[in-house]
Amino acid sequence: MTTPISDRLSGDIRAEGERKMDWARQHMPILEALRDQFTDQRPFEGEVIGMAMHVEAKTAILAELLAAGGAEVAITGCNPLSTHDDVSLALDAVDGVTCYAERGVDDDAYYEAIEAVIGHDPTVTVDDGGDLVFAIHEDYPELLDTIVGGCEETTTGVHRLRAMADDGALEYPIFAVNDTPMKRLFDNVHGTGESALASIAMTTNLSWAGKTVVVAGFGYCGKGVARKASGQNADVVVTEVDSRRALEAHMEGYTVLPMADAAAEGDVFVTTTGNRDVIVGEHFEAMQDGVLLANAGHFDVEIDLEALGELAVDTFEARDGVRAYEMADGRRLNVLAEGRLVNLATPVSLGHPVEVMDQSFGVQAVCVRELLERGEEYGPGVHDVPDGLDREVAETKLAAEGIEIDELSDAQAEYMSSWQHGT
């Protein structure tokens, strides 16, 4: 079995990880409020929570919170390039937490770390992308009877789990954290938009102003990238396969084109679809010299790097985190972060803003609490997060910000709930 990160890396960098965690902790008031509750109530006493997440400072505060609530936490990464090793070491030193995540591991080591987490016999899973859940179902079915439920963080994972449920293969309840308003409206839009563009800018040292940015997919993440790029004075082109989303992009003022046409127009391409083969060989052949290719979807399948490699006569590291592919005609196409999640996988990436992840991880935490308090009420399959939990997190955030809102009067509440009031 893979050993914890502290058995494989020097502890010299641990202090930097602790400093990153301390900074994040100061800016996560939702998790702070929940930590006060969980430390007092110990709702996870005796439970084992298995996690496969992006192991960086904000995630570390979530794992620390769950351990403070009494759980044994075993965690690894959900992307080979998104782990911060200093944070991983610092997290492994937290009481009640064992961390296996290490940056830059190959596929074999990546899945060995997931198996190491499963080796703790989790009773709850907290996943980002679905790899942990699928590994349990495929290789450790004996654990399914003792797992109460799980939570899934991201769009890609929810899509995979819904397909699994449709096939009758999902054996325990999982909350689609990605689909609840406190996650989707903030994390997907503002988090992805801000962090993807920030990572690209910091990695390349290039400006957005005056560039044509092609955003593939106009879901919540694509909307965020398009909105933030437009706000930095870029011209935005959207590509879509869904007619309603394409129309929405058009009505919001963006140019909408098929990728075959957009390929010749763009300076920067950002994929946000969660699907494969979004940018392929024919598109590379039409692109202009110097384009940037970045992926903000979960897996590294949206940009066909195999086809790009076959077209290239040479490849080299143009900058740290940027690989240039030189074509026979001299054009260079630049791929960031090996086509992996650009806001977490470039060398300078920090992921979503702390305040945004405070909200998403607050939803994760209350969903774990819900599963352990009322898990028997949920059958196998993908479940929406109960609205009351989502509102609890929103109210906690408002209170932390000192923001007060109105309440419905009894008459207003009765009016809104009745069909009998007419003209």
Side-chain angles (χ1 to χ4, degrees):
M1 184 176 79
T2 294
T3 58
I5 184 72
S6 56
D7 292 343
R8 288 176 276 125
L9 290 183
S10 165
D12 294 345
I13 60 174
R14 195 178 96 188
E16 180 60 23
E18 291 171 344
R19 188 166 69 157
K20 289 179 180 178
M21 289 173 61
D22 183 60
W23 177 263
R25 198 180 295 113
Q26 292 177 57
H27 298 278
M28 302 182 83
I30 297 171
L31 294 197
E32 180 182 7
L34 289 172
R35 186 182 300 109
D36 290 342
Q37 294 178 26
F38 291 175
T39 301
D40 179 56
Q41 299 170 6
R42 306 280 288 181
F44 311 137
E45 196 75 58
E47 304 294 337
V48 179
I49 300 176
M51 304 175 68
M53 308 281 283
H54 300 291
V55 178
E56 44 80 56
K58 286 91 70 180
T59 310
I61 304 308
L62 172 62
E64 178 185 71
L65 165 66
L66 298 174
E72 174 193 344
V73 177
I75 182 170
T76 189
C78 65
N79 183 303
L81 291 181
S82 65
T83 294
H84 291 201
D85 285 340
D86 51 359
V87 172
S88 186
L89 279 166
L91 182 56
D92 191 57
V94 172
D95 288 343
V97 179
T98 304
C99 187
Y100 297 94
E102 183 177 354
R103 184 181 178 88
V105 296
D106 60 22
D107 286 350
D108 289 341
Y110 172 80
Y111 286 105
E112 285 173 6
I114 286 179
E115 291 187 353
V117 169
I118 296 172
H120 288 254
D121 296 344
T123 53
V124 175
T125 60
V126 179
D127 215 345
D128 190 323
D131 284 345
L132 177 62
V133 173
F134 302 131
I136 290 171
H137 280 74
E138 292 174 3
D139 301 322
Y140 300 89
E142 68 276 9
L143 296 179
L144 294 172
D145 289 340
T146 55
I147 293 178
V148 177
C151 306
E152 171 53 50
E153 172 77 9
T154 198
T155 306
T156 298
V158 170
H159 285 169
R160 297 174 79 192
L161 289 166
R162 290 195 190 281
M164 193 175 178
D166 289 343
D167 289 343
L170 183 56
E171 297 292 338
Y172 61 84
I174 294 182
F175 283 126
V177 170
N178 177 78
D179 292 355
T180 203
M182 281 298 289
K183 163 58 163 78
R184 179 166 275 181
L185 296 177
F186 302 97
D187 186 316
N188 293 18
V189 175
H190 296 285
T192 300
E194 292 181 18
S195 63
L197 296 189
S199 289
I200 294 169
M202 288 189 295
T203 301
T204 64
N205 195 31
L206 297 176
S207 172
W208 293 105
K211 286 190 171 59
T212 297
V213 178
V214 177
V215 180
F218 203 65
Y220 285 93
C221 293
K223 291 174 186 176
V225 173
R227 183 184 301 173
K228 304 297 181 178
S230 180
Q232 297 192 59
N233 301 319
D235 295 319
V236 176
V237 175
V238 170
T239 72
E240 250 300 345
V241 296
D242 183 278
S243 57
R244 290 170 296 187
R245 287 180 175 175
L247 184 58
E248 184 180 9
H250 170 69
M251 295 293 284
E252 290 193 12
Y254 304 118
T255 300
V256 179
L257 294 173
M259 183 61 78
D261 295 331
E265 302 290 330
D267 299 302
V268 183
F269 295 78
V270 185
T271 56
T272 67
T273 71
N275 208 339
R276 62 174 301 135
D277 301 333
V278 178
I279 301 178
V280 296
E282 65 178 283
H283 306 136
F284 301 133
E285 292 177 338
M287 288 177 179
Q288 56 190 322
D289 181 35
V291 302
L292 305 178
L293 298 166
N295 169 47
H298 188 80
F299 292 119
D300 59 342
V301 297
E302 304 205 24
I303 302 169
D304 189 352
L305 295 183
E306 183 177 349
L308 182 56
E310 291 174 355
L311 288 170
V313 296
D314 189 22
T315 68
F316 57 91
E317 289 296 308
R319 284 175 65 87
D320 197 12
V322 182
R323 176 158 286 274
Y325 290 74
E326 187 168 329
M327 303 293 106
D329 60 6
R331 288 176 301 124
R332 292 178 180 177
L333 313 185
N334 300 291
V335 176
L336 278 68
E338 302 177 13
R340 295 188 183 277
L341 195 58
V342 71
N343 62 329
L344 281 158
T346 66
V348 295
S349 293
L350 297 175
H352 288 1
V354 179
E355 301 95 331
V356 168
M357 294 313 301
D358 186 35
Q359 297 179 182
S360 296
F361 288 159
V363 177
Q364 290 274 24
V366 297
C367 282
V368 172
R369 184 191 65 197
E370 175 75 5
L371 286 167
L372 292 173
E373 289 180 349
R374 283 178 282 277
E376 69 281 353
E377 298 177 14
Y378 301 93
V382 179
H383 296 266
D384 292 335
V385 174
D387 190 60
L389 298 183
D390 201 58
R391 291 181 182 277
E392 175 186 343
V393 173
E395 289 162 3
T396 302
K397 177 68 171 181
L398 288 174
E401 297 288 338
I403 298 172
E404 297 181 0
I405 62 175
D406 290 319
E407 295 183 8
L408 293 176
S409 67
D410 291 343
Q412 287 175 320
E414 190 277 330
Y415 183 87
M416 294 298 292
S417 64
S418 173
W419 57 268
Q420 295 175 320
H421 298 287
T423 56

